[in-house]
Amino acid sequence: MVKQFSPSTNILDSNIDFTQYLITSNVQAVFDEIITSYASGFRSFNLVGAYGTGKSTFLSAFEAHLNGYKLFFDQKKWTRLNDFDCVKIVGSYDSILESISGALG
């Protein structure tokens, strides 16, 4: 079966194919900024960009990296990978409280 290209990644999909995912200098810089900010005490981050620029794919790769499933990023500054649970919420017209409650069970 021929695989179709899609510019969109759904973060709720657990079967993301990372074989073609490239760590560019920009992607590594975003990772570095997150870990530097996290070490400084920040616990919330906004990832903003135009449609199709790789935000959701980055988040999926970031989660895989944190869980040790596949290490994508150079992590000279951060070695604690087992202290994280990822809660995935996709924007909708529902209440944010209901979305969080549903995601947390």
Side-chain angles (χ1 to χ4, degrees), residues 20-37:
Q20 300 295 318
Y21 189 61
L22 300 175
I23 304 302
T24 65
S25 59
N26 286 344
V27 169
Q28 183 67 48
V30 171
F31 177 81
D32 291 343
E33 181 64 31
I34 290 172
I35 63 170
T36 300
S37 297

Side-chain angles (χ1 to χ4, degrees), residues 19-99:
T19 58
Q20 300 295 318
Y21 189 61
L22 300 175
I23 304 302
T24 65
S25 59
N26 286 344
V27 169
Q28 183 67 48
V30 171
F31 177 81
D32 291 343
E33 181 64 31
I34 290 172
I35 63 170
T36 300
S37 297
Y38 186 85
S40 299
F42 288 88
R43 297 298 185 262
S44 178
F45 305 93
N46 289 319
L47 193 59
V48 180
Y51 175 80
T53 57
K55 299 174 299 295
S56 294
T57 305
F58 170 79
L59 290 174
S60 296
F62 188 71
E63 178 188 18
H65 184 88
L66 290 178
N67 290 331
Y69 169 69
K70 181 169 182 170
L71 300 181
F72 289 99
F73 307 99
D74 178 16
Q75 59 182 50
K76 297 175 194 164
K77 303 173 190 173
W78 197 3
T79 57
R80 293 177 24 197
L81 296 176
N82 298 324
D83 297 337
F84 296 92
D85 290 319
C86 294
V87 179
K88 300 175 185 181
I89 300 173
V90 175
S92 68
Y93 290 108
D94 296 331
S95 159
I96 186 71
L97 295 177
E98 289 177 14
S99 295

